[in-house]
Amino acid sequence: MMKAELGDPQLVHGQNEKSPSSLSIMWRELVKDKLALGSLILLSLILIVVYGASVLLDQDEIVKVDLLSIYSPPSAEHWLGTDYGGRDIFGQLIIGARNSFTIGLAITLITGLIGLTVGLIAGYFGGVIDNIIMRIIDFILVLPFLMLVIVFVAIVPKYNIFTFILIMSAFLWTGKARLIRAKTLAERELDYVSASKTLGTPDWKIIVFQILPNLSSIIIVNLTLNLAGNIGIESGLSYLGFGLPESTPSLGTLVSYAMNPDVLQNKWWVWLPASLLILVMMLCINFIGQALKRAADARQRLG
Amino acid sequence: MLKFILRRIMMMIPQLFILSVLVFLLAKAMPGDALTGQLASNPKIDAQTLEEMKEKLGLNDPVHVQYARWMKNLLQGDLGISYIHKQPVNDLLAGRMWNTILLSAAILILTYMIAIPLGIVSGRWTDSWADKLIVGYSYVSFATPLFIFALIMLFIFGFKLGWFPTGGSVDIQVEKGTFAYYLSKLNHLLLPALSGALINTVGTIQYLRSEIIDTKVKDFVKTARAKGVPESSIYWRHILRNSFLPIAAFLGYEITGLIGGSIFLESIFSYPGIGQLFLQSILQRDYSVVTALVMISGLATLIGTLLSDIILSAVDPRIRIE
């Protein structure tokens, strides 16, 4: 892959023209990687079907209990059968996938924003601010994350999606902040920053318009890999019964029916499709993320 | 070195203090209190008796007094009384803690047994078909959530093939202390441990692989090769010797993941350890058990990172903080 990159005429002659942005390099690498491209197409298809169908499906209709068709196996009427309340599994799968993906994305964006802000500030200014922030991060990183999230979910009054996203975000921004801080520390020492400082550019302009764009590829890689991780954590917590509230089913909720040994053993249509969907989505996002990571690394080696 | 260790331990004390305050406040914030459980089991208690009992237990004292009392007991190793199980938390934890430690140790042993050979093969024969297969496996295992993998393992090997027991930590019939008892325990341990380990290998494989790829082109390896040292002893005596120690040092960092993993694994395989107890206690609102478990896990994580930091800094002096 490196050799192909070096032999790329556009890059070799790039000095005269405007050099391609890091994002377009990453996109080109992504499209060249067959596995990543396949993952991207599959993931897009899944998301189109999920979000498209969830608009058409009536959520009230799906969660309505129908005692006449409890645990019916897949049929023409119910494509993936029904659960213990006679509810259609396929419909729940679509709604659950939509909820899991949306919430995973929301957590990723919020933690990304917090991590970015805190990391840039700590890395750029250093000194006392950096010290205080790093102590806080070190402390949060050694907490037993999963246990505390479960405790929080159990005690928060008026528990809903927003509180869930807040609880998760409160713990998950630290890793990103640490990564961004380390990269900013390295970037801060480079000549272009001192040149800007000498010219009297205000600090916030240097941070937002000069350092931030140079970190964009790292941020994108990190956010992509985190998105997969967050979907996994969310569905895992929902599986344990400490994730999304009951009014918003998640893919993990469907998997959690398998806690009943009879369902696990004899009624595969209840839990297996949701498990496979989580698996496929996480694999796709990870393959895309890994390809982006390789592209970002290759760019660094070239530069 | 001694100075570094002391400083590192000093850093731990405020962290432990903040953790204890956090856990204590969370426990206070939980709906209901220690008496709600007793009340439910004994409907004859009226409001006045309840008030007297609260007074007796010190639940009406100011928060900081209660915290001091709780902390004093904690430091003396007294974790309080479980109101659901009606026995000291210490007794309740003893057996389950042992089960979880056993499971975690089994996961770690299996992880290294799988990851180290794969990492070596992958690093030594880079770009071979075996390497590609191993890298593919490590990508897939990195992306797979533990609870789904464990469920599928239980479905296939526990239920469909029936090779392993599907729950518990030991058969009820076998007599404690006999050979059959330990055999049964091992049998119950194998499937959960294997499920945890197969997902857990990615870090070690990738570390070893990139370590070997970096080291095998270094000058001292070339010198050894030029002297005519056979290829296998180049790997065992020159390359791997440097790579193994950090793997041992990373052990401490694994504890966070193992505690989190035990919650899922124990719930799926109905394995009676602290992860399962934690979930039950949350649902039954048995707070003295919950606080004890969070404190113990926090302490275990802190000690784990402490040990890892110390070992790593002994190996690599650049890590020592000023």
Side-chain angles (χ1 to χ4, degrees), chain A residues 240-256:
Chain A
L240 292 176
F242 295 95
L244 302 186
E246 266 171 43
S247 53
T248 39
S250 138
L251 286 177
T253 321
L254 275 176
V255 183
S256 75

PDB file of all heavy atoms in Angstrom, chain A residues 240-256:
ATOM      1  N   LEU A 240     -27.677  -6.176  29.668  1.00  0.00           N
ATOM      2  CA  LEU A 240     -27.725  -6.427  31.115  1.00  0.00           C
ATOM      3  C   LEU A 240     -28.962  -5.815  31.753  1.00  0.00           C
ATOM      4  O   LEU A 240     -29.274  -6.085  32.902  1.00  0.00           O
ATOM      5  CB  LEU A 240     -26.479  -5.842  31.787  1.00  0.00           C
ATOM      6  CG  LEU A 240     -25.156  -6.520  31.469  1.00  0.00           C
ATOM      7  CD1 LEU A 240     -24.011  -5.760  32.128  1.00  0.00           C
ATOM      8  CD2 LEU A 240     -25.155  -7.967  31.943  1.00  0.00           C
ATOM      9  N   GLY A 241     -29.663  -4.946  31.001  1.00  0.00           N
ATOM     10  CA  GLY A 241     -30.840  -4.290  31.560  1.00  0.00           C
ATOM     11  C   GLY A 241     -30.525  -2.927  32.153  1.00  0.00           C
ATOM     12  O   GLY A 241     -31.340  -2.344  32.856  1.00  0.00           O
ATOM     13  N   PHE A 242     -29.307  -2.400  31.877  1.00  0.00           N
ATOM     14  CA  PHE A 242     -28.940  -1.086  32.401  1.00  0.00           C
ATOM     15  C   PHE A 242     -28.569  -0.132  31.289  1.00  0.00           C
ATOM     16  O   PHE A 242     -27.740   0.744  31.458  1.00  0.00           O
ATOM     17  CB  PHE A 242     -27.788  -1.219  33.397  1.00  0.00           C
ATOM     18  CG  PHE A 242     -28.167  -1.988  34.620  1.00  0.00           C
ATOM     19  CD1 PHE A 242     -27.902  -3.348  34.718  1.00  0.00           C
ATOM     20  CD2 PHE A 242     -28.821  -1.371  35.661  1.00  0.00           C
ATOM     21  CE1 PHE A 242     -28.269  -4.067  35.829  1.00  0.00           C
ATOM     22  CE2 PHE A 242     -29.191  -2.090  36.777  1.00  0.00           C
ATOM     23  CZ  PHE A 242     -28.920  -3.438  36.866  1.00  0.00           C
ATOM     24  N   GLY A 243     -29.179  -0.326  30.137  1.00  0.00           N
ATOM     25  CA  GLY A 243     -28.885   0.552  29.012  1.00  0.00           C
ATOM     26  C   GLY A 243     -30.070   1.452  28.743  1.00  0.00           C
ATOM     27  O   GLY A 243     -30.540   2.151  29.632  1.00  0.00           O
ATOM     28  N   LEU A 244     -30.572   1.383  27.522  1.00  0.00           N
ATOM     29  CA  LEU A 244     -31.696   2.232  27.153  1.00  0.00           C
ATOM     30  C   LEU A 244     -32.939   1.856  27.946  1.00  0.00           C
ATOM     31  O   LEU A 244     -33.156   0.689  28.266  1.00  0.00           O
ATOM     32  CB  LEU A 244     -31.982   2.069  25.662  1.00  0.00           C
ATOM     33  CG  LEU A 244     -30.825   2.390  24.741  1.00  0.00           C
ATOM     34  CD1 LEU A 244     -31.273   2.341  23.304  1.00  0.00           C
ATOM     35  CD2 LEU A 244     -30.256   3.753  25.072  1.00  0.00           C
ATOM     36  N   PRO A 245     -33.758   2.873  28.291  1.00  0.00           N
ATOM     37  CA  PRO A 245     -35.006   2.574  29.002  1.00  0.00           C
ATOM     38  C   PRO A 245     -35.940   1.723  28.144  1.00  0.00           C
ATOM     39  O   PRO A 245     -35.783   1.655  26.930  1.00  0.00           O
ATOM     40  CB  PRO A 245     -35.595   3.959  29.251  1.00  0.00           C
ATOM     41  CG  PRO A 245     -34.886   4.882  28.332  1.00  0.00           C
ATOM     42  CD  PRO A 245     -33.554   4.299  28.080  1.00  0.00           C
ATOM     43  N   GLU A 246     -36.902   1.067  28.778  1.00  0.00           N
ATOM     44  CA  GLU A 246     -37.731   0.086  28.079  1.00  0.00           C
ATOM     45  C   GLU A 246     -38.518   0.671  26.919  1.00  0.00           C
ATOM     46  O   GLU A 246     -38.831  -0.017  25.956  1.00  0.00           O
ATOM     47  CB  GLU A 246     -38.687  -0.572  29.064  1.00  0.00           C
ATOM     48  CG  GLU A 246     -38.127  -1.865  29.629  1.00  0.00           C
ATOM     49  CD  GLU A 246     -38.992  -2.376  30.760  1.00  0.00           C
ATOM     50  OE1 GLU A 246     -40.228  -2.340  30.622  1.00  0.00           O
ATOM     51  OE2 GLU A 246     -38.418  -2.801  31.775  1.00  0.00           O
ATOM     52  N   SER A 247     -38.832   1.976  27.010  1.00  0.00           N
ATOM     53  CA  SER A 247     -39.634   2.580  25.948  1.00  0.00           C
ATOM     54  C   SER A 247     -38.869   2.679  24.634  1.00  0.00           C
ATOM     55  O   SER A 247     -39.473   2.803  23.582  1.00  0.00           O
ATOM     56  CB  SER A 247     -40.095   3.973  26.387  1.00  0.00           C
ATOM     57  OG  SER A 247     -38.967   4.718  26.799  1.00  0.00           O
ATOM     58  N   THR A 248     -37.525   2.638  24.690  1.00  0.00           N
ATOM     59  CA  THR A 248     -36.736   2.678  23.463  1.00  0.00           C
ATOM     60  C   THR A 248     -35.905   1.411  23.350  1.00  0.00           C
ATOM     61  O   THR A 248     -34.815   1.329  23.893  1.00  0.00           O
ATOM     62  CB  THR A 248     -35.771   3.878  23.456  1.00  0.00           C
ATOM     63  OG1 THR A 248     -35.247   4.016  24.775  1.00  0.00           O
ATOM     64  CG2 THR A 248     -36.412   5.142  23.020  1.00  0.00           C
ATOM     65  N   PRO A 249     -36.432   0.399  22.655  1.00  0.00           N
ATOM     66  CA  PRO A 249     -35.712  -0.866  22.561  1.00  0.00           C
ATOM     67  C   PRO A 249     -34.391  -0.691  21.816  1.00  0.00           C
ATOM     68  O   PRO A 249     -34.298   0.110  20.886  1.00  0.00           O
ATOM     69  CB  PRO A 249     -36.667  -1.757  21.765  1.00  0.00           C
ATOM     70  CG  PRO A 249     -37.572  -0.844  21.044  1.00  0.00           C
ATOM     71  CD  PRO A 249     -37.688   0.381  21.888  1.00  0.00           C
ATOM     72  N   SER A 250     -33.379  -1.427  22.269  1.00  0.00           N
ATOM     73  CA  SER A 250     -32.085  -1.400  21.609  1.00  0.00           C
ATOM     74  C   SER A 250     -31.831  -2.801  21.057  1.00  0.00           C
ATOM     75  O   SER A 250     -32.583  -3.733  21.350  1.00  0.00           O
ATOM     76  CB  SER A 250     -31.007  -1.014  22.625  1.00  0.00           C
ATOM     77  OG  SER A 250     -29.860  -1.799  22.478  1.00  0.00           O
ATOM     78  N   LEU A 251     -30.793  -2.951  20.235  1.00  0.00           N
ATOM     79  CA  LEU A 251     -30.441  -4.291  19.777  1.00  0.00           C
ATOM     80  C   LEU A 251     -30.092  -5.179  20.969  1.00  0.00           C
ATOM     81  O   LEU A 251     -30.379  -6.369  20.990  1.00  0.00           O
ATOM     82  CB  LEU A 251     -29.259  -4.213  18.812  1.00  0.00           C
ATOM     83  CG  LEU A 251     -29.570  -3.667  17.418  1.00  0.00           C
ATOM     84  CD1 LEU A 251     -28.307  -3.580  16.596  1.00  0.00           C
ATOM     85  CD2 LEU A 251     -30.594  -4.539  16.721  1.00  0.00           C
ATOM     86  N   GLY A 252     -29.478  -4.548  21.993  1.00  0.00           N
ATOM     87  CA  GLY A 252     -29.126  -5.297  23.191  1.00  0.00           C
ATOM     88  C   GLY A 252     -30.355  -5.844  23.907  1.00  0.00           C
ATOM     89  O   GLY A 252     -30.305  -6.921  24.507  1.00  0.00           O
ATOM     90  N   THR A 253     -31.461  -5.107  23.846  1.00  0.00           N
ATOM     91  CA  THR A 253     -32.695  -5.571  24.486  1.00  0.00           C
ATOM     92  C   THR A 253     -33.142  -6.889  23.858  1.00  0.00           C
ATOM     93  O   THR A 253     -33.550  -7.818  24.553  1.00  0.00           O
ATOM     94  CB  THR A 253     -33.814  -4.522  24.317  1.00  0.00           C
ATOM     95  OG1 THR A 253     -33.245  -3.226  24.474  1.00  0.00           O
ATOM     96  CG2 THR A 253     -34.913  -4.726  25.318  1.00  0.00           C
ATOM     97  N   LEU A 254     -33.069  -6.951  22.522  1.00  0.00           N
ATOM     98  CA  LEU A 254     -33.461  -8.185  21.831  1.00  0.00           C
ATOM     99  C   LEU A 254     -32.545  -9.344  22.223  1.00  0.00           C
ATOM    100  O   LEU A 254     -33.005 -10.458  22.462  1.00  0.00           O
ATOM    101  CB  LEU A 254     -33.402  -7.985  20.319  1.00  0.00           C
ATOM    102  CG  LEU A 254     -34.625  -7.369  19.658  1.00  0.00           C
ATOM    103  CD1 LEU A 254     -34.362  -7.164  18.180  1.00  0.00           C
ATOM    104  CD2 LEU A 254     -35.834  -8.275  19.849  1.00  0.00           C
ATOM    105  N   VAL A 255     -31.237  -9.054  22.302  1.00  0.00           N
ATOM    106  CA  VAL A 255     -30.295 -10.108  22.684  1.00  0.00           C
ATOM    107  C   VAL A 255     -30.578 -10.573  24.109  1.00  0.00           C
ATOM    108  O   VAL A 255     -30.417 -11.747  24.428  1.00  0.00           O
ATOM    109  CB  VAL A 255     -28.838  -9.613  22.549  1.00  0.00           C
ATOM    110  CG1 VAL A 255     -27.862 -10.728  22.868  1.00  0.00           C
ATOM    111  CG2 VAL A 255     -28.576  -9.097  21.156  1.00  0.00           C
ATOM    112  N   SER A 256     -31.049  -9.642  24.955  1.00  0.00           N
ATOM    113  CA  SER A 256     -31.219  -9.996  26.369  1.00  0.00           C
ATOM    114  C   SER A 256     -32.330 -11.027  26.582  1.00  0.00           C
ATOM    115  O   SER A 256     -32.384 -11.663  27.628  1.00  0.00           O
ATOM    116  CB  SER A 256     -31.504  -8.751  27.205  1.00  0.00           C
ATOM    117  OG  SER A 256     -32.822  -8.317  27.001  1.00  0.00           O
TER     118      SER A 256
END
